[in-house]
Amino acid sequence: MDDQTRMAWLVRELNQHIYNYHVLDAPTIPDAEYDKMFRELQDLEAAHPQAVSSDSPTLRVGAAPIPEFKQVTHAVPMLSLNNGFSDEDVENFDRRVREGVHAQQVEYACELKYDGLAISLRYENGMFVQAATRGDGSTGEDVTANIRTVKEIPLRLHGEAVPRVLEVRGEVLMFKDDFNKLNQRQRDAGQKEFANPRNAAAGSLRQLDSRITAQRRLRFFAYGIGVLEGADMPESHSALLEWFHRLGMPTSKESAVVRGAQGLLSYYRNVGERRPGLPYDIDGVVYKVNRLEDQETLGFVSRAPRFALAHKFPAEEALTTVHDIEVQVGRTGAITPVARLQPVFVGGVTVTNATLHNENEVRRKDIRIGDTVIVRRAGDVIPEVVSYVPERRPADAREFVMPTQCPVCGSPIVRLEDEAVARCSGGWTHCPAQRKGGLLQFVSRRAIDIEGMGDQLVDQLVDKGLLRTAADIYKLDKPKLCSLERMADKSAQNVLDAIEHSKNTTFARFIYALGIRNVGESTAKALAQHFGNLDALLHAAQWEGGIQLLEVPDIGPVVAKSISEFLTDPDNLALVAELRQHLHWKEGEHVMKANGGLTGKTFVLTGTLPTLTRDEAGALIEAAGGKVSGSVSKKTSYVVAGEEAGSKLAKAEALGITVLDEDGLRALLAQVNGEPQQEEQEQ
């Protein structure tokens, strides 16, 4: 197709996607794919300016408001931002700004680019009177009644010296925890789940019944201004945000002021590293020239300000096609459907496989072989298929059929009525896949910790019949190891030394290493603390269906059943008995004291401590009776923070939770353990 035909096609496609995203809240392609198409259209229009269509999305922002809401005309248009994707884009932006304001170095205000919905809030004489969506940039939708349900937004501005008119621009969004709770309620009610927090926030804000919006936890961050009457404009963007904060308006603590392109890139990389730990989704950062006078000097292009840039992170979603759907067998026998994909670069890596979780998810999402799908990968999370693109489904797309036999060992696949996951019935004894998975858990760092026994070595040992159970590890010798590929004499000796070192362990590690379903590290520690020794645990598991296990804190009927079933199985009991001949631990050592000085106290560790690893700090806390948690809540007693502590520290400070550094932790431990504390000597 020629350039002008391609331009017309891109205009139609992009306008449809704009409607799907902004009006229906049901996007069918990832943002990265939209950005790619948008930039292609910009390039074609630059080459053929005479052929630019009047309805080109490059000439407008967003989409028209839906008719059910009253329309609001923005006194000052709500524009979009130009995007940057590389270091070069940022350096060019900085160069253009310096040239525009005739300065050798420029100060910038940096903020997060939230994945939510842009909103304008109007206040008159300090009172909230109206809220409107961005819409097409000139006209938006009146969502005043729904915005009143967002608790963070003040209905009256703080202070006495409030402006006669103030229009605040910002983002409405939904935090990840609130999104998960909402989807759980949707599942419980048998209703459709939301695809992501952005869709959930937009869908909640556009409810015609504000009572529904009130049931969904929305948040707001202010980041800009529209109209201001009856007050002086601050001199800088950072000062504007500080003024908003004094007026009672929510602003982000992640904002910063930097200088030059290197300052911008440093902020971008720092936020990128902390991105997975943020409580909300972002897809980039925003740079704005800090001095408002310089912003006025730079002005605007047709659809975006020259003084700002959105620097996007590598795409976490991308489009690709499903070549096949196969199943994998996990260490507990779980059968997981996996989509085999046309390779696609997403989230910083090339993805060829993505999980479909279970058969119910495949049916719910209606994923078929041959579909074009949206694949998501955030941080280190396993890639998953989000949804398929209906308009790209081929006529010969095939539905997935769950096999009836395990693809590894041929044992029947069974699915209990109360479970979503199907499982291979072969167990360790018959299924090599389960055997390998169980052995890898057994030797892992947080279990028995045998350094050097990774995936490749375990695969070889199982395939050659040298390992059938975990106890066989302690029967390995140098000739057996040297018979394997790429295993020299020194490497074999290193493995044997690691095996010997692993014989001294702890009771909690041993329980975790067994790979009992539903028993993670914290449950293993709780069992070790409660029962103190293996015989007591075995007796509890075998007596009256394991009813005594319910006496352990945080253990319910499902977990108790898993433990009881595992420790009453003859093969598992034989394995435990054999392992007892090789492994040794001191009863009660390295587990939480039932009546320690920190009993009932919950700690959260964040950042890098000067001399202690997190595992070491956690062991000291647990040895004194405390509990270590991975997330901050109102129930948290202390947060122990080191260098580069992130959102957990910020949340602790917001909740008024006591924050300790390593010295503070050591002092607290010395106090509760009755140890003498060293006093500082005067110099």
Side-chain angles (χ1 to χ4, degrees):
M1 93 180 41
D2 61 30
D3 284 356
Q4 294 191 22
T5 303
R6 178 69 176 175
M7 289 169 62
W9 181 86
L10 285 169
V11 167
R12 289 195 303 272
E13 285 290 299
L14 287 168
N15 279 333
Q16 180 62 46
H17 291 310
I18 289 170
Y19 179 80
N20 293 344
Y21 187 99
H22 291 283
V23 179
L24 301 183
D25 299 323
T28 55
I29 63 171
D31 289 350
E33 187 74 13
Y34 177 91
D35 292 334
K36 181 180 176 182
M37 295 169 65
F38 192 95
R39 296 181 85 175
E40 181 186 357
L41 180 59
Q42 284 182 309
D43 292 340
L44 289 171
E45 288 181 345
H48 306 281
Q50 76 286 352
V52 175
S53 170
S54 61
D55 66 340
S56 171
T58 63
L59 303 179
R60 64 176 186 174
V61 180
I66 58 177
E68 287 84 351
F69 290 99
K70 176 184 173 183
Q71 295 188 8
V72 175
T73 300
H74 299 301
V76 176
M78 296 182 69
L79 302 179
S80 289
L81 300 176
N82 286 323
N83 293 325
F85 298 91
S86 66
D87 289 4
E88 184 181 4
D89 290 339
V90 176
E91 291 164 354
N92 288 337
F93 165 70
D94 176 59
R95 175 183 51 77
R96 290 193 299 270
V97 168
R98 286 187 285 107
E99 292 172 353
V101 299
H102 307 291
Q104 300 225 337
Q105 191 176 61
V106 175
E107 187 177 77
Y108 296 96
C110 302
E111 302 168 276
L112 305 182
K113 187 177 183 301
Y114 307 104
D115 199 6
L117 193 70
I119 291 292
S120 171
L121 308 176
R122 183 179 176 88
Y123 289 82
E124 296 179 0
N125 297 315
M127 297 294 293
F128 170 68
V129 295
Q130 190 178 65
T133 63
R134 181 169 61 188
D136 64 2
S138 299
T139 305
E141 305 151 5
D142 189 328
V143 289
T144 305
N146 291 345
I147 281 294
R148 286 181 180 275
T149 71
V150 182
K151 296 179 181 178
E152 280 84 1
I153 295 176
L155 299 181
R156 180 196 295 270
L157 296 177
H158 297 188
E160 299 297 327
V162 297
R164 185 169 61 254
V165 177
L166 173 64
E167 186 186 337
V168 178
R169 269 83 186 272
E171 197 92 356
V172 169
L173 64 159
M174 185 174 287
F175 280 24
K176 296 174 185 175
D177 284 349
D178 298 320
F179 169 72
N180 292 334
K181 292 175 183 176
L182 172 60
N183 264 352
Q184 183 60 56
R185 293 198 299 272
Q186 294 290 104
R187 286 192 294 271
D188 293 343
Q191 298 177 354
K192 183 180 178 180
E193 296 178 43
F194 290 95
N196 52 55
R198 190 268 166 197
N199 282 12
S204 300
L205 196 58
R206 286 190 168 120
Q207 292 292 324
L208 295 176
D209 185 348
S210 61
R211 292 171 297 182
I212 297 176
T213 308
Q215 295 171 3
R216 300 174 181 178
R217 186 78 163 93
L218 297 176
R219 318 288 183 116
F220 174 81
F221 287 121
Y223 56 61
I225 190 168
V227 177
L228 176 63
E229 298 176 6
D232 294 330
M233 183 74 77
E235 293 184 354
S236 67
H237 184 77
S238 57
L240 174 68
L241 295 182
E242 291 172 2
W243 183 46
F244 282 165
H245 183 70
R246 292 194 298 272
L247 291 174
M249 197 65 57
T251 56
S252 172
K253 294 181 180 179
E254 300 290 340
S255 302
V257 175
V258 304
R259 289 182 175 274
Q262 291 310 307
L264 296 175
L265 293 172
S266 177
Y267 176 84
Y268 173 83
R269 288 164 187 147
N270 178 268
V271 171
E273 290 174 359
R274 296 186 292 107
R275 182 186 182 190
L278 294 174
Y280 39 73
D281 285 341
I282 60 173
D283 58 5
V285 297
V286 175
Y287 310 134
K288 298 174 183 175
V289 173
N290 198 28
R291 290 183 73 242
L292 300 189
E293 184 179 340
D294 287 343
Q295 290 188 9
E296 290 183 10
T297 299
L298 291 164
F300 299 81
V301 291
S302 60
R303 61 181 296 275
R306 290 191 178 95
F307 56 79
L309 181 74
H311 190 181
K312 289 199 168 185
F313 291 122
E316 291 192 323
E317 291 186 346
L319 283 181
T320 188
T321 54
V322 179
H323 289 324
D324 200 358
I325 299 177
E326 300 176 354
V327 296
Q328 289 182 343
V329 187
R331 67 173 182 82
T332 63
I335 304 295
T336 303
V338 176
R340 306 301 184 192
L341 307 170
Q342 174 71 27
V344 61
F345 192 77
V346 56
V349 301
T350 299
V351 172
T352 57
N353 305 309
T355 181
L356 291 167
H357 299 293
N358 55 58
E359 186 179 10
N360 284 356
E361 280 292 283
V362 179
R363 303 287 175 245
R364 184 179 70 81
K365 295 178 178 178
D366 191 21
I367 306 299
R368 302 182 187 182
I369 300 166
D371 273 342
T372 296
V373 294
I374 299 174
V375 178
R376 176 186 298 152
R377 181 184 182 274
D380 294 327
V381 176
I382 298 171
E384 68 169 344
V385 174
V386 178
S387 62
Y388 78 100
V389 182
E391 58 265 32
R392 298 195 185 186
R393 169 166 282 173
D396 60 350
R398 293 180 288 120
E399 292 190 14
F400 166 72
V401 178
M402 175 65 79
T404 58
Q405 292 182 313
C406 173
V408 177
C409 70
S411 298
I413 291 176
V414 296
R415 178 176 166 186
L416 301 180
E417 290 184 5
D418 59 344
E419 291 190 355
V421 178
R423 299 182 188 277
C424 165
S425 60
W428 271 46
T429 307
H430 299 99
C431 186
Q434 292 185 61
R435 191 177 307 136
K436 290 176 181 178
L439 287 167
L440 285 171
Q441 158 126 354
F442 185 86
V443 302
S444 65
R445 185 172 63 87
R446 297 184 178 274
I448 298 301
D449 189 17
I450 304 180
E451 189 174 351
M453 289 198 74
D455 295 43
Q456 293 183 353
L457 180 54
V458 169
D459 282 351
Q460 285 195 72
L461 290 167
V462 172
D463 292 343
K464 287 185 173 291
L466 297 176
L467 287 187
R468 289 192 60 81
T469 73
D472 291 338
I473 292 172
Y474 298 96
K475 300 173 186 176
L476 292 173
D477 54 29
K478 190 173 289 187
K480 291 178 180 177
L481 289 172
C482 287
S483 69
L484 304 175
E485 294 180 12
R486 299 179 183 177
M487 181 63 70
D489 185 272
K490 184 176 180 181
S491 299
Q493 188 58 53
N494 289 340
V495 173
L496 292 173
D497 290 343
I499 291 172
E500 186 64 28
H501 183 265
S502 75
K503 291 181 179 180
N504 291 310
T505 186
T506 69
F507 186 27
R509 281 177 173 267
F510 173 73
I511 296 171
Y512 174 63
L514 292 175
I516 304 170
R517 275 184 64 197
N518 302 313
V519 175
E521 285 183 85
S522 60
T523 301
K525 289 174 181 177
L527 290 167
Q529 171 197 341
H530 187 85
F531 293 106
N533 62 73
L534 181 55
D535 289 330
L537 173 59
L538 291 173
H539 178 269
Q542 296 165 10
W543 189 71
E544 293 191 6
I547 192 171
Q548 289 183 349
L549 296 169
L550 296 174
E551 298 173 3
V552 181
D554 300 328
I555 288 186
V558 173
V559 179
K561 181 181 179 183
S562 294
I563 299 168
S564 179
E565 288 179 348
F566 186 93
L567 293 178
T568 53
D569 180 273
D571 290 336
N572 292 334
L573 287 175
L575 172 63
V576 168
E578 194 169 358
L579 287 172
R580 291 182 81 168
Q581 299 177 22
H582 303 286
L583 299 174
H584 313 284
W585 58 83
K586 292 181 181 179
E587 306 292 1
E589 188 178 42
H590 301 305
V591 296
M592 296 177 287
K593 294 180 180 178
N595 297 304
L598 296 180
T599 299
K601 303 294 184 183
T602 300
F603 290 72
V604 172
L605 302 168
T606 182
T608 304
L609 300 177
T611 66
L612 293 172
T613 66
R614 289 196 191 183
D615 287 346
E616 290 168 342
L620 291 173
I621 291 167
E622 290 168 350
K627 179 181 178 182
V628 179
S629 174
S631 58
V632 177
S633 70
K634 293 180 180 179
K635 297 181 180 179
T636 303
S637 308
Y638 299 93
V639 168
V640 181
E643 291 185 7
E644 299 183 3
S647 58
K648 293 178 183 178
L649 175 59
K651 186 172 182 179
E653 292 171 341
L655 293 174
I657 295 167
T658 302
V659 177
L660 304 174
D661 58 12
E662 182 178 319
D663 290 339
L665 173 62
R666 290 186 181 277
L668 178 62
L669 290 168
Q671 178 184 353
V672 300
N673 291 332
E675 299 172 3
Q677 299 185 46
Q678 293 183 348
E679 296 183 1
E680 294 185 3
Q681 296 181 357
E682 295 184 3
Q683 301 296 319

